[in-house]
């Protein structure tokens, strides 16, 4: 694992990206004895280092959010690893399996060879060929900036991937748009720093951080919810509001309001210096509560069905009264009057595959694949949400998807090796 000056050579498999998906692919390809290389334009797990806020921790406990072959040696099993610890974990894992990772190499083009099997890969370090290509660049590629608020000197607009801490923000109040894990944690942090914060809340799932002595990731596991192959109808893009910050806690939007954060509905439009919000705040909060209580119901039924001795937790079912910002919500907010100088868009990412010049995408540019095996023979995807199941974009889930992809490549190699 090095930044070798040697020229790139032809290989059987080229893995693009050395985040969690690329490292997972590396392990399983290595087990099969396949000749491969992993190309990364920056450092291993770079997005954990430089595209996340300073205080970020993993959303799952260390006993769960890891690969099977290595535990975190500097995090309590029930604790939540800081972002640098996660990045270092993947570095250690890559070193442990002696992964042939080439960092500082930017892939600019992948296209099928004419008249022969395989692909030509153009990079910042030259060109080479590979029989198979595993795209392990993950889902966090191009930040989404909804074209709602025009760019002006009075308002600084940044994406959550460019937010690091409250000190970087201009003096004034802050609007955070997005009620997933990133938006909630960023809003909490800015509020705790003494800023006045508005939080735009859209549809979301709101699981308990823990219940009856078990983390929610454990409950999703034993209830079989991590293995769901498709999201519920209409919930393909619903975000999950959960936090490992401060040792982990259940996200409760009512408590955020009690702490001084003003909740508003989904951000819709902008005109004459004012933002308009959908009349959906109370509905979004209520549906999040339903999701939360449904998981408690399923957990209680599981405990009873299996005769488990787990402590009851009746207080977990207490839902507080809606705060005034929910019962009498703001439908419009004049940004200047509210003193807002910064908008943080925690609105997710889109995928960018302009460099991947193969027939593996639908009319909307999304990969056409089944369990990572794409519509273009020889091209595979890893690390995407719902690639094979709910857990596919999580650390432990991508490891299992990578095994399936590597096994599929090994099977194809077997066919090609056949001779009379």
């Amino acid at each position: 694992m090095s930044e070798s000056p040697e020229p790139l050579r032809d290989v059987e498999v080229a893995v693009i990206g050395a985040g969690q998906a690329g490292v997972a692919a590396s392990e399983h390809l290595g087990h099969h004895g396949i000749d491969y290389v992993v190309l990364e334009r920056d450092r291993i797990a770079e997005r954990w280092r430089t595209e996340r806020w300073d205080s970020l921790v993993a959303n799952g406990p260390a006993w769960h959010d890891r690969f099977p072959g290595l535990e975190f040696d500097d995090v309590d099993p029930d604790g939540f690893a800081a972002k640098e610890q996660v990045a270092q974990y993947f570095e250690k894992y890559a070193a442990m399996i002696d992964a042939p990772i080439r960092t500082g190499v930017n892939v600019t083009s992948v296209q099928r060879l004419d008249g022969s099997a395989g692909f030509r890969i153009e990079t910042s370090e030259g060109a080479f060929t590979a029989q198979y290509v595993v795209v392990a660049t993950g889902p966090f590629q191009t930040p989404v900036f909804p074209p709602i608020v025009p760019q002006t000197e009075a308002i600084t607009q940044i994406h959550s991937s460019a937010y690091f801490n409250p000190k970087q923000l201009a003096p004034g109040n802050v609007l955070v748009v997005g009620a997933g894990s990133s938006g909630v944690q960023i809003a909490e942090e800015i509020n705790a720093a003494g800023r006045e914060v508005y939080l735009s809340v859209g549809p979301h799932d709101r699981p308990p951080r823990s219940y009856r002595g078990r983390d929610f990731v454990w409950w999703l596991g034993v209830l079989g919810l991590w293995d769901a192959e498709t999201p519920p109808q209409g919930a393909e893009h619903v975000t999950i509001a959960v936090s490992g910050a401060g040792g982990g806690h259940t996200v409760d939007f009512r408590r955020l309001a009690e702490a001084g954060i003003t909740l508003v509905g989904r951000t819709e439009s902008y005109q004459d210096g004012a933002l308009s919000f959908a009349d959906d705040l109370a509905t979004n909060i209520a549906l999040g509560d339903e999701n939360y209580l449904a998981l408690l119901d399923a957990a209680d039924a599981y405990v009873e069905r299996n005769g488990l001795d787990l402590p009851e937790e009746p207080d977990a079912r207490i839902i507080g009264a809606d705060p005034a910002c929910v019962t009498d919500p703001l439908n419009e907010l004049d940004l200047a009057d509210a003193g807002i100088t910064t908008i943080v868009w925690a609105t997710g990412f889109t995928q960018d595959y302009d460099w991947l010049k193969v027939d593996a995408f639908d009319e909307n540019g999304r990969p056409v694949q089944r369990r990572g095996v794409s519509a273009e023979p020889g091209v595979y995807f890893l690390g995407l949400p719902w690639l094979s199941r709910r857990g596919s974009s999580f650390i432990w889930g991508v490891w299992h998807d990578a095994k399936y992809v590597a096994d599929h490549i090994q099977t194809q190699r077997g066919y090609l090796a056949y001779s009379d």
Side-chain angles (χ1 to χ4, degrees):
M1 181 183 62
S2 66
E3 297 184 30
S4 171
E6 296 179 2
L8 292 165
R9 61 178 180 80
D10 297 342
V11 292
E12 285 188 90
V13 180
V15 180
I16 315 302
Q20 60 197 40
V23 175
S26 193
E27 176 169 11
H28 296 296
L29 292 170
H31 283 168
H32 285 301
I34 296 173
D35 181 28
Y36 73 99
V37 67
V38 182
L39 303 180
E40 167 59 51
R41 64 184 177 185
D42 294 305
R43 297 173 292 176
I44 294 172
E46 181 67 22
R47 287 193 171 99
W48 279 97
R49 304 173 193 274
T50 56
E51 296 185 23
R52 304 291 187 272
W53 62 97
D54 295 345
S55 64
L56 174 71
V57 299
N59 275 333
W63 67 262
H64 183 266
D65 282 13
R66 64 177 181 87
F67 290 168
L70 181 68
E71 297 181 358
F72 281 90
D73 59 10
D74 53 355
V75 184
D76 183 272
D78 290 317
F80 301 89
K83 67 172 189 174
E84 278 296 332
Q85 291 174 309
V86 175
Q88 291 165 9
Y89 174 87
F90 288 119
E91 281 191 331
K92 292 177 184 176
Y93 209 97
M96 181 183 73
I97 63 176
D98 197 22
I101 296 176
R102 290 282 299 270
T103 58
V105 180
N106 184 37
V107 175
T108 56
S109 173
V110 173
Q111 51 190 324
R112 183 169 287 284
L113 294 169
D114 290 330
S116 63
F119 303 86
R120 178 179 175 84
I121 302 168
E122 301 277 355
T123 82
S124 58
E125 298 296 316
F128 69 104
T129 64
Q131 294 297 304
Y132 307 93
V133 175
V134 177
V135 181
T137 52
F140 306 121
Q141 296 170 25
T142 303
V144 171
F145 272 93
I148 296 176
V149 181
Q151 297 290 336
T152 67
E153 292 184 1
I155 304 291
T156 299
Q157 300 185 57
I158 63 172
H159 190 266
S160 56
S161 60
Y163 167 81
F164 302 111
N165 58 67
K167 294 180 180 179
Q168 83 184 91
L169 305 180
N173 302 331
V174 181
L175 168 67
V176 178
V177 181
S181 295
S182 296
V184 167
Q185 292 178 52
I186 290 171
E188 281 189 295
E189 178 174 88
I190 297 173
N191 179 67
R195 301 291 192 95
E196 185 175 345
V197 177
Y198 295 79
L199 176 61
S200 178
V201 180
H204 59 272
D205 283 350
R206 188 175 76 85
R209 173 72 270 173
S210 65
Y211 181 59
R212 301 186 71 161
R214 296 289 188 271
D215 194 272
F216 95 96
V217 300
W218 188 87
W219 286 114
L220 292 188
V222 299
L223 294 171
L225 299 177
W226 282 126
D227 293 326
E229 294 184 357
T230 57
Q233 186 68 32
E236 289 83 357
H237 304 293
V238 172
T239 57
I240 297 178
V242 66
S243 178
H249 60 275
T250 298
V251 170
D252 186 334
F253 288 95
R254 295 172 181 84
R255 290 179 186 160
L256 295 181
E258 290 174 4
I261 295 175
T262 300
L263 308 177
V264 295
R266 183 170 39 84
T267 301
E268 279 196 325
S269 61
Y270 174 90
Q271 186 175 2
D272 299 330
L275 274 173
S276 296
F277 305 105
D279 187 22
D280 62 356
L281 177 59
T283 298
N284 294 336
I285 298 293
L287 291 176
D289 293 341
E290 287 183 16
N291 169 261
Y292 169 83
L293 292 171
L295 187 56
L296 300 192
D297 289 342
D300 287 343
Y302 182 87
V303 169
E304 183 176 357
R305 185 168 63 250
N306 291 279
L308 299 182
D309 183 22
L310 295 179
E312 294 185 6
E313 195 175 338
D315 288 352
R317 292 182 174 275
I318 297 175
I319 302 293
D322 286 341
C325 62
V326 175
T327 58
D328 186 21
L330 288 171
N331 294 320
E332 187 176 273
L333 184 66
D334 186 288
L335 299 182
D337 289 349
I340 291 174
T341 57
T342 301
I343 299 176
V344 180
W345 295 97
T347 43
F349 298 78
T350 58
Q351 296 158 14
D352 180 7
Y353 295 113
D354 286 348
W355 52 274
L356 187 55
K357 305 179 188 304
V358 298
D359 188 18
F361 305 99
D362 64 16
E363 62 276 8
N364 296 313
R366 293 173 299 200
V368 177
Q369 56 80 30
R370 183 173 177 82
R371 296 192 67 178
V373 181
S374 86
E376 175 76 53
V379 174
Y380 300 82
F381 292 91
L382 278 176
L384 301 181
W386 296 97
L387 187 86
S388 68
R389 52 184 170 169
R390 182 176 185 172
S392 288
S393 59
F394 293 81
I395 291 174
W396 66 271
V398 76
W399 188 90
H400 293 280
D401 283 347
K403 183 179 187 306
Y404 181 86
V405 164
D407 288 347
H408 192 277
I409 292 173
Q410 176 67 357
T411 299
Q412 295 303 305
R413 293 175 74 230
Y415 285 121
L416 294 177
Y418 175 81
S419 60
D420 294 330

